[in-house]
Amino acid sequence: MSGESASAIPKGQVDLLDFIDWSGVECLNQSSTHSLPNALKQGYREDDGLHLESDADEQLLLYIPFTQVIKLHSIIVKGTEEQGPKTVKLFSNKEHMGFSNVSDYPPSDTAVLSPDNLKGKPVLVKYVKFQNVRSLTIFIEDNQSGSEITKVQKIMLYGSTVETTDMKGLKKIEDH
């Protein structure tokens, strides 16, 4: 991922929050008291008192399915200077990943978050790798200080939807 700044979210890109399939969202190794909705859901993610926190060690594995195909443009991962995420690997359309097999697959993109990224500067992804995304897996491998707990204050995904044909809306042409 490029460390370039996107001072404003580029024209045509939207917050993909409305396209997340919440029934399928998962997070492995999250603290029971500081879970994923704190960092991802509207309203919760704007509250600095709420955050996602790792449980047994510093790693977190998030699975985010979408209700329709999207193109991912950039991601914001906010966190604290000490316990904020450092190495973040993104996987497009990889389902059923766990800590045991996450290293078996090459990530679609990898970012090492800077202090500016942790304060909310967007990270631009390799756009060509995220053109037809049905689900996104985010693997937070480590944190800034190497401590046992990783804290994520906010995760925001920016991109656009892929225009698809609604097959149910098509009418069958009758033979005459």
Side-chain angles (χ1 to χ4, degrees):
M1 281 181 226
S2 162
E4 297 170 29
S5 171
S7 56
I9 299 307
K11 191 173 182 176
Q13 308 304 322
V14 297
D15 183 347
L16 295 169
L17 185 77
D18 292 339
F19 304 104
I20 292 175
D21 177 4
W22 292 102
S23 65
V25 171
E26 294 177 8
C27 183
L28 302 181
N29 194 39
Q30 64 184 335
S31 158
S32 58
T33 54
H34 300 286
S35 60
L36 181 59
N38 287 352
L40 196 58
K41 278 199 166 178
Q42 186 76 43
Y44 291 75
R45 65 184 186 188
E46 282 71 37
D47 185 336
D48 290 338
L50 296 174
H51 61 272
L52 165 62
E53 189 173 294
S54 63
D55 190 22
D57 61 21
E58 74 282 5
Q59 296 185 334
L60 287 161
L61 190 61
L62 292 63
Y63 174 72
I64 304 170
F66 297 97
T67 56
Q68 64 186 75
V69 179
I70 59 106
K71 292 180 182 185
L72 184 66
H73 175 274
S74 53
I75 180 170
I76 292 175
V77 181
K78 284 182 73 175
T80 61
E81 206 173 304
E82 292 289 310
Q83 293 176 307
K86 183 176 181 183
T87 309
V88 178
K89 295 182 177 179
L90 301 177
F91 300 85
S92 174
N93 302 323
K94 286 273 187 258
E95 296 181 7
H96 311 296
M97 291 180 76
F99 291 111
S100 60
N101 69 355
V102 73
S103 59
D104 295 349
Y105 303 101
S108 304
D109 209 346
T110 301
V112 176
L113 300 183
S114 70
D116 284 346
N117 293 135
L118 290 175
K119 291 177 184 148
K121 178 178 161 186
V123 177
L124 303 178
V125 300
K126 292 178 186 160
Y127 197 52
V128 294
K129 302 259 187 168
F130 297 94
Q131 290 297 299
N132 287 295
V133 181
R134 290 175 303 284
S135 67
L136 181 68
T137 301
I138 303 172
F139 176 46
I140 298 173
E141 193 167 35
D142 53 16
N143 60 41
Q144 297 291 324
S145 64
S147 66
E148 285 293 300
I149 294 176
T150 298
K151 291 184 179 179
V152 182
Q153 295 167 319
K154 180 189 278 192
I155 297 172
M156 295 180 78
L157 307 171
Y158 288 99
S160 58
T161 56
V162 174
E163 298 301 322
T164 56
T165 303
D166 179 7
M167 299 308 278
K168 292 179 202 142
L170 296 177
K171 291 188 171 71
K172 186 176 178 182
I173 298 174
E174 299 292 326
D175 291 330
H176 293 291

